[in-house]
Amino acid sequence: MFGIDFYPSPLPVIEKMLAVVPIAGKTILEPSAGSGNIVDYLNTAGAKKVLACEIDSRLRKILSGKCDIIGHDFLEVTALDVSHIDIIVMNPPFSKQEEHIMHAWDIAPAGCQIVSLCNNSMLDNRYSRSRTDIGKLVKDFGRSENFGDCFTQAERKTGVEVGCVWLHKPGSAENEFDGYFDLYDYEQDAVNQSGIVRYDFVQDIVSRYVEAVSMFDEVDASNKRINTTIKGVVE
């Protein structure tokens, strides 16, 4: 057993999550990759590159060769680490689902799509600040759906009603460094003993620049929304 939160995503659930999400040619992060069911699907669907985090060392060994592991704990991943990704797809540990969804939103670059499973009760019962914040994100930037008890026939079964959240972070994902990270060969790079790709100075500089551009886009988009909201009220 790999822990109380280890519930591998069944193929029908993954297909439903990603039915209208363009995968081919995209750089995608799976923040809680587990044994790799979602990673396998993304590779088969033609993802350009799949990045992943996985906190369990035994599961990281299973993931070896399927994707590029960029960290252990997703909650420690920064915006600089993922400034070049297009999509985040995840089945987070339900015990920390709110933290994972909010962290994904916080670090995702402008234009990034976020698709996440969750306990559907999180969407129905907003008794905490984080649940209220996620509800507002869903209302303003996406949608959600109740998948029901879709894990009753899974590899590890549960009768919990599972929901799915789709979010799109505003702003443009385009920048003059598009394609740079495709030239960076992670597999040929040296790795440390934990199996994580080593720090690269040039990559870090480019990441910082891309993130700065993304932040500018977000500020610009916010200013436009504010101007639209107060138009006619403040002249």
Side-chain angles (χ1 to χ4, degrees), residues 3-52:
I4 60 172
D5 285 314
F6 179 67
Y7 286 90
S9 307
L11 179 58
V13 175
I14 300 172
E15 291 174 336
K16 195 169 184 179
M17 292 171 68
L18 301 175
V20 295
V21 179
I23 299 301
K26 303 295 184 180
T27 299
I28 305 174
L29 172 66
E30 216 289 36
S32 306
S35 57
N37 287 11
I38 292 178
V39 169
D40 289 339
Y41 181 91
L42 296 174
N43 285 328
T44 300
K48 181 189 299 182
K49 186 179 291 292
V50 179
L51 312 178

Side-chain angles (χ1 to χ4, degrees), residues 56-85:
D56 191 296
S57 61
R58 296 165 296 173
L59 291 172
R60 287 199 300 274
K61 291 180 180 180
I62 296 174
L63 293 168
S64 178
K66 294 183 178 183
C67 55
D68 295 323
I69 299 176
I70 64 170
H72 293 175
D73 187 349
F74 171 58
L75 297 178
E76 296 179 357
V77 172
T78 70
L80 294 178
D81 298 323
V82 297
S83 60
H84 58 301
I85 65 171

Side-chain angles (χ1 to χ4, degrees), residues 110 141 170-172 211-229:
F141 301 107
S172 172
E211 176 63 13
V213 172
S214 296
M215 292 171 65
F216 177 85
D217 287 341
E218 291 177 30
V219 171
D220 184 55
S222 296
N223 286 335
K224 289 178 180 177
R225 290 198 301 274
I226 292 171
N227 290 334
T228 299
T229 301

Side-chain angles (χ1 to χ4, degrees), residues 38-214:
I38 292 178
V39 169
D40 289 339
Y41 181 91
L42 296 174
N43 285 328
T44 300
K48 181 189 299 182
K49 186 179 291 292
V50 179
L51 312 178
C53 299
E54 175 47 51
I55 204 162
D56 191 296
S57 61
R58 296 165 296 173
L59 291 172
R60 287 199 300 274
K61 291 180 180 180
I62 296 174
L63 293 168
S64 178
K66 294 183 178 183
C67 55
D68 295 323
I69 299 176
I70 64 170
H72 293 175
D73 187 349
F74 171 58
L75 297 178
E76 296 179 357
V77 172
T78 70
L80 294 178
D81 298 323
V82 297
S83 60
H84 58 301
I85 65 171
D86 302 300
I87 305 170
I88 298 175
V89 181
M90 59 183 180
N91 176 7
F94 281 13
S95 64
K96 295 184 177 180
Q97 59 186 352
E98 295 151 48
E99 294 175 73
H100 278 241
I101 292 173
M102 290 306 303
H103 188 63
W105 178 263
D106 289 340
I107 68 173
C112 185
Q113 295 186 68
I114 301 169
V115 185
S116 178
L117 294 180
C118 62
N119 188 323
N120 198 67
S121 67
M122 183 196 74
L123 302 173
D124 290 338
N125 304 312
R126 299 175 186 174
Y127 56 76
S128 67
R129 175 63 183 273
S130 59
R131 290 191 175 197
T132 299
D133 289 344
I134 291 172
K136 191 174 188 307
L137 287 178
V138 172
K139 179 182 178 182
D140 294 344
F141 301 107
R143 65 185 181 91
S144 64
E145 182 179 338
N146 185 352
F147 284 180
D149 55 354
C150 56
F151 274 66
T152 54
Q153 302 300 318
E155 179 180 338
R156 186 178 180 198
K157 299 173 177 56
T158 177
V160 170
E161 286 200 348
V162 175
C164 188
V165 170
W166 294 267
L167 300 172
H168 186 273
K169 195 162 184 178
S172 172
E174 296 181 0
N175 63 77
E176 62 266 48
F177 285 98
D178 280 347
Y180 165 79
F181 291 96
D182 301 328
L183 300 177
Y184 187 85
D185 192 342
Y186 288 91
E187 293 183 357
Q188 294 301 317
D189 196 4
V191 296
N192 61 32
Q193 291 182 352
S194 63
I196 300 177
V197 177
R198 70 164 172 80
Y199 172 81
D200 181 86
F201 178 75
V202 176
Q203 181 190 8
D204 182 59
I205 293 297
V206 174
S207 293
R208 289 174 185 272
Y209 177 81
V210 172
E211 176 63 13
V213 172
S214 296

